[in-house]
């Protein structure tokens, strides 16, 4: 069967969940071959995990370049590996970096590139990608029509399913191009975890907007999130005001989330915010303005002051949990 | 020697309007109101700030797009850019990101550059790959997705807030940068700026001028194909209640009925 190259994203020596989703999707298209770059001592553990999720082969490469320079070292590695594997497609996680790697790789391979797929299917003409476009108001199906399809897939496109495979590890030495050392990473500060679920991975997201009024106000949003085991999101207005970190922003220029349940509090529902949340399964809204456009999306809405509604809801949830 | 800054901008359908596809599944750019992509305003803003800090710089804005795209150039000129280049050719209809990066690379090379500045993504296609592709094609460093950027002594530095970490980056000029909507609010054109923009030079180029063959771009030259595009069914509004002291409890009952609690 055709081999599908999967770039396995990892952080702090651990495979990130979207990579397991990619391996799961890759099995629909062919035989997954995982690529693990710059994992150092963690490579063996990451390779084992990739094997658990269906990677028949795991190709690892380690070099200081992967951490010291931006994007290009990974493109060099993938280009070299694609040259020897000759895959039927290359899958990469849709992050800022993932999309840049995919695009440069596609250009070098003479291939078309599709970004932000939310689903993948196999067809005679190659992988068919589903994308959600124009602020999630259209669903598009597209294909790469030239070369080896290079496709980036959004987190949460599927749920990871284990399917143990050989996971045979091969390590390769990458010959880096002159361009690889073009952009130096002079320092890197890992994001501190809030202890809550990752925004893009969470089953429930509780968000606050300008209606939260102040940084302190987010404590009622966080309390509700914690009662549900949810991630916390914020509108750009709340982020721009400095009330909540940008890494929690939901929307066009933040994270695009598609959880089982999205609770929007004090958010009006601008198109750029909708772009990040309107594919959520169930949407709940708390807003004091009955005319707020976000109510158009609501499966259940409460017209009211979030500072009254949220604490009552949180208490009720905590009581029911006993 | 003066610092040559080229800003790449896109004319896009207004996101608050009714965006749709044409019969060939390309973005409908005729039947809808367009504007300079808001995310490219951040690119123009940072270019102007870098130019002001350097004291000796020239800012050129480049766009690839239909006739109306000149409105995007006018806006950038009225914000303070010095001159503009408009690449416009019927054969460009349907060009994908790879093709666009080819056209931009040729236009930027022809204009001459030390620094290319882009927005983080377009607001219509939202791929966010053109800056990286431009760097690949031009053979210069990419310093992208920056929330802070500075140029000093022929070196560009910036802060990139990624998913897992914040990184500080550094590269020698010439380079391609892209800036996010966290990089600083874009200025509004002043009345003086709007008047001055009317006299600033706008150069029009077609594919011939750039030495690009029609087959390399357009819908036929695209390496991706759209098979279908369907409007997502509108969500149906559910129950809306007014909080009269029991709103939180009513919401809890809904969540319990849906098995979330
Ligand atoms: C290029 C571009 C990209 C953008 N990207 C994003 C993005 O990624 N994410 C994003 O969110 N936005 C984005 N925006 C901004 C977007 O257009 C809106 O400005 C923003 O979403 C508004 O945030 P908000 O809903 O919190 O604030 P507002 O629109 O001010 O709404 C606040 C709401 O809170 C309600 N409220 C006030 N007090 C209370 C209370 N006590 N209890 C209950 N309700 C209350 C009000 O009724 C109102 O509906 C982008 C804009 C542009 C141009």
């Amino acid at each position: 069967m055709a081999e599908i190259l999967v770039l396995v994203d990892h952080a702090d020596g651990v495979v990130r969940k979207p990579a397991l989703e990619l391996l799961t999707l890759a099995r629909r298209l062919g035989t997954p071959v995982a690529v693990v770059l710059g994992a150092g001592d963690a490579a063996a553990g990451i390779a084992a995990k990739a094997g658990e999720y269906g990677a028949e082969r795991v190709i690892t490469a380690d070099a200081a370049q992967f951490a010291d320079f931006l994007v290009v070292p990974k493109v060099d590695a993938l280009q070299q590996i694609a040259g020897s594997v000759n895959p039927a497609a290359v899958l990469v996680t849709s992050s800022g970096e993932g999309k840049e790697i995919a695009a440069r790789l596609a250009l070098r391979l003479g291939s078309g590139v599709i970004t932000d797929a939310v689903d993948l299917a196999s067809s005679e003409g190659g992988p068919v990608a589903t994308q959600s476009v124009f602020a999630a108001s259209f669903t598009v199906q597209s294909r790469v029509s030239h070369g080896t399809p290079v496709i980036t897939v959004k987190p949460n496109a599927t749920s990871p399913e284990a399917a143990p495979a050989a996971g045979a590890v091969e390590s390769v030495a990458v010959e880096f191009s002159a361009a690889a050392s073009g952009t130096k990473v002079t320092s890197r500060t890992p994001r501190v975890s809030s202890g809550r679920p990752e925004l893009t991975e969470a089953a429930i997201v509780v968000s606050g907007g300008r209606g939260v009024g102040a940084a302190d106000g987010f404590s009622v949003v966080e309390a509700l999130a914690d009662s549900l085991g949810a991630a916390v999101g914020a509108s750009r207005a709340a982020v721009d005001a400095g009330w909540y970190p940008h890494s929690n922003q939901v929307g066009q220029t933040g994270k695009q989330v598609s959880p089982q349940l999205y609770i929007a509090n004090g958010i009006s529902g601008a198109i750029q915010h909708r772009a990040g949340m309107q594919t959520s399964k169930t949407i709940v809204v708390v807003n004091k303005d009955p005319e707020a456009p976000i109510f158009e999306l609501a499966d259940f809405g409460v017209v009211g002051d979030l500072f009254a509604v949220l604490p009552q809801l949180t208490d009720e949830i905590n009581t029911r949990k006993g | 020697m003066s610092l040559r800054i080229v800003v790449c901008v896109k004319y896009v359908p207004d996101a608050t309007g009714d965006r749709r596809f044409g019969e060939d599944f390309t973005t409908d750019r005729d039947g809808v109101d367009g504007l300079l992509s808001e995310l490219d305003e951040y690119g123009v803003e940072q270019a102007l700030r870098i130019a002001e800090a350097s004291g000796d710089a020239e800012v050129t804005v480049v766009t690839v797009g239909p006739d109306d795209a000149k409105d995007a150039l006018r806006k950038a000129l009225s914000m303070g850019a010095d001159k503009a280049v408009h690449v416009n050719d019927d054969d460009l209809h349907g060009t994908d990101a790879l093709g666009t990066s080819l056209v931009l690379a040729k236009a930027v090379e022809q204009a001459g550059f030390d620094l290319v500045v882009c927005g983080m993504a377009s607001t219509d296609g939202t791929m966010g790959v053109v800056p990286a592709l431009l760097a690949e094609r031009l053979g210069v460093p990419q310093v992208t997705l920056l929330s802070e950027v500075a140029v000093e002594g022929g070196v560009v530095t910036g802060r990139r807030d990624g998913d897992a970490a914040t990184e500080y980056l550094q590269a020698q000029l010439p380079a391609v940068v892209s800036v996010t909507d966290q990089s600083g609010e874009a200025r509004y054109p002043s009345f003086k700026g709007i008047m001055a923009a009317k006299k600033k030079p706008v150069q029009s180029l077609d594919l011939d001028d750039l030495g690009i063959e029609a087959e390399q771009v357009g819908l036929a030259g695209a390496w991706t194909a759209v098979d279908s595009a369907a409007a997502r069914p509108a969500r149906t509004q559910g129950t809306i209640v007014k909080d009269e002291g029991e709103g939180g409890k009513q919401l809890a009952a809904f969540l319990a009925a849906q098995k979330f609690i």
Side-chain angles (χ1 to χ4, degrees), chain A residues 180-191:
Chain A
S181 49
T183 307
K184 194 164 176 35
V185 179
T186 52
S187 81
R188 175 180 290 113
T189 321
R191 191 153 58 76

Side-chain angles (χ1 to χ4, degrees), chain B residues 60-142:
Chain B
T60 306
V61 273
V62 176
T63 197
V64 178
D67 293 351
D68 288 346
K70 66 180 178 310
D71 293 353
L73 295 175
R74 277 293 162 221
K75 171 96 186 258
L77 292 171
S78 62
M79 287 171 71
D82 300 301
K83 57 193 177 69
V85 176
H86 184 179
V87 185
N88 187 1
D89 198 308
D90 288 345
D91 288 328
L92 283 166
H93 174 85
T95 304
D96 65 2
L98 290 164
T100 303
S101 72
L102 171 68
V103 180
L104 281 173
K106 296 278 188 199
V108 164
E109 264 169 346
Q110 200 168 90
F113 71 99
D114 300 300
L115 179 70
V116 178
V117 183
C118 304
M120 63 187 284
S122 64
T123 57
D124 53 354
T126 71
M127 291 178 76
V129 298
V130 164
L133 288 168
L134 261 180
E136 177 75 30
R137 290 198 186 267
L138 295 168
V140 303
Q142 77 166 75

Side-chain angles (χ1 to χ4, degrees), chain A residues 104 136 141 143 236 253 312, chain B residues 136 168 181 225 227 232 238 248:
Chain A
R104 294 185 73 144
Q141 305 223 291
R143 276 174 302 112
R236 193 173 95 172
T253 56
Q312 190 182 62
Chain B
E136 177 75 30
Y168 283 88
D181 60 343
D227 291 336
R232 210 185 157 74

Side-chain angles (χ1 to χ4, degrees), chain A residues 209-211 235-237 249-254 266-270 272-273 287-289 292 304-307, chain B residues 38-39:
Chain A
R210 202 196 304 273
S235 74
R236 193 173 95 172
Q249 183 176 313
V250 172
Q252 187 189 337
T253 56
I267 294 174
S268 63
Q272 297 89 355
H273 188 79
N287 194 306
K288 68 179 183 189
D289 174 10
D305 185 344
L306 69 92
F307 290 102
Chain B
E38 284 117 330
L39 293 175

Side-chain angles (χ1 to χ4, degrees), chain A residues 270-291:
Chain A
I271 185 77
Q272 297 89 355
H273 188 79
R274 291 176 178 220
M277 49 67 75
Q278 71 174 338
T279 59
S280 304
K281 299 270 174 336
T282 299
I283 296 175
V284 165
V285 169
V286 178
N287 194 306
K288 68 179 183 189
D289 174 10
E291 304 296 321

